[in-house]
């Protein structure tokens, strides 16, 4: 009789253990998975902010670069952009922009054909970036302007096919 009672107690404990394991599997593990997914999403967001959106190789040879000079509707290479000033006078920046395309990029074949059609959009980006600076700061911020233009034009094409943007700026 004692042996039977001991078997019943062991069987009861095994069943209770099984029930508790099932509860753990169906309650704790999904919660842990949701927490893990949340942590993964947060880490992806942080990673996106730490690295640049579009990356390019450090150096290309000259035969791998396709320079395109941005021209306005008149065919002129210089763009005249009004820049604000603290002295209340009208000031203008005369800008020449050259966009260098990476011929080795996977998007080059597809996007280089539509590049000429997008010149008015590029001119709009150039106008937006340069007019955000004042007359006094345009001369001192040429490198910063070029970086912003590169960023804006890359986001316009949504590709890192845009290798570099170079500008010549004359402020009057």
């Amino acid at each position: 009789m004692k042996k039977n009672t001991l078997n019943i107690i062991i069987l009861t404990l095994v069943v209770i253990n099984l029930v508790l394991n099932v509860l753990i599997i169906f309650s704790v593990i999904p919660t842990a998975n949701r927490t893990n997914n949340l942590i993964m999403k947060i880490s992806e967001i942080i990673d996106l902010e730490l690295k640049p959106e579009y990356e390019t190789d450090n150096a290309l040879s000259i035969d791998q670069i396709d320079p395109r000079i941005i021209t306005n509707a008149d065919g002129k290479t210089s763009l005249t952009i009004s820049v604000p000033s603290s002295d209340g006078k009208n000031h203008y920046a005369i800008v020449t922009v050259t966009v260098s395309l990476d011929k080795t990029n996977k998007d080059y074949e597809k996007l280089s054909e539509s590049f000429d059609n997008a010149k008015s959009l590029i001119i709009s980006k150039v106008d937006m970036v340069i007019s955000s600076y004042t007359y006094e700061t345009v001369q001192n911020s040429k490198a910063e302007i070029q970086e912003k233009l590169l960023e804006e034009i890359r986001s316009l094409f949504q590709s890192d096919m845009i290798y570099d943007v170079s500008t010549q700026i004359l402020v009057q």
Side-chain angles (χ1 to χ4, degrees):
M1 195 67 156
K2 287 185 178 184
K3 203 172 186 183
N4 248 353
T5 311
L6 191 58
N7 283 338
I8 292 174
I9 291 174
I10 291 174
L11 183 65
T12 307
L13 288 175
V14 167
V15 169
I16 290 173
N17 190 18
L18 180 68
V19 168
L20 290 176
N21 282 335
V22 167
L23 282 174
I24 287 173
I25 288 173
F26 289 113
S27 65
V28 174
I29 291 179
T31 304
N33 284 339
R34 283 192 298 265
T35 304
N36 189 30
N37 289 340
L38 177 65
I39 291 170
M40 291 298 291
K41 287 179 183 177
I42 291 172
S43 66
E44 286 174 3
I45 290 171
I46 290 172
D47 285 342
L48 288 176
E49 291 177 0
L50 293 179
K51 64 181 181 179
E53 185 175 358
Y54 303 107
E55 297 180 14
T56 59
D57 295 335
N58 288 338
L60 292 175
S61 65
I62 195 72
D63 62 329
Q64 295 173 326
I65 297 173
D66 179 14
R68 306 272 180 105
I69 297 175
I70 304 302
T71 57
N72 58 15
D74 304 349
K76 294 181 181 178
T77 59
S78 60
L79 309 171
T80 305
I81 300 170
S82 175
V83 289
S85 174
S86 59
D87 63 5
K89 296 180 182 176
N90 292 334
H91 293 281
Y92 297 95
I94 299 173
V95 183
T96 304
V97 180
T98 303
V99 178
S100 299
L101 308 180
D102 179 3
K103 290 181 182 179
T104 62
N105 190 283
K106 64 184 182 311
D107 296 333
Y108 178 76
E109 292 296 324
K110 179 177 67 171
L111 294 177
S112 67
E113 296 171 4
S114 63
F115 186 85
D116 291 331
N117 296 333
K119 282 187 178 179
S120 62
L121 296 172
I122 294 171
I123 291 172
S124 170
K125 294 288 185 185
V126 170
D127 184 68
M128 179 189 71
V129 168
I130 292 179
S131 62
S132 67
Y133 290 88
T134 63
Y135 167 74
E136 292 82 10
T137 60
V138 167
Q139 285 293 344
N140 300 328
S141 305
K142 287 183 181 181
E144 185 179 329
I145 290 171
Q146 287 181 350
E147 285 180 31
K148 279 191 176 182
L149 282 173
L150 179 63
E151 200 175 288
E152 290 290 327
I153 295 173
R154 279 185 177 169
S155 67
L156 177 67
F157 284 95
Q158 297 178 349
S159 172
D160 56 354
M161 172 195 68
I162 309 300
Y163 179 69
D164 189 31
V165 174
S166 57
T167 59
Q168 294 177 340
I169 302 174
L170 175 66
V171 183
Q172 298 178 346

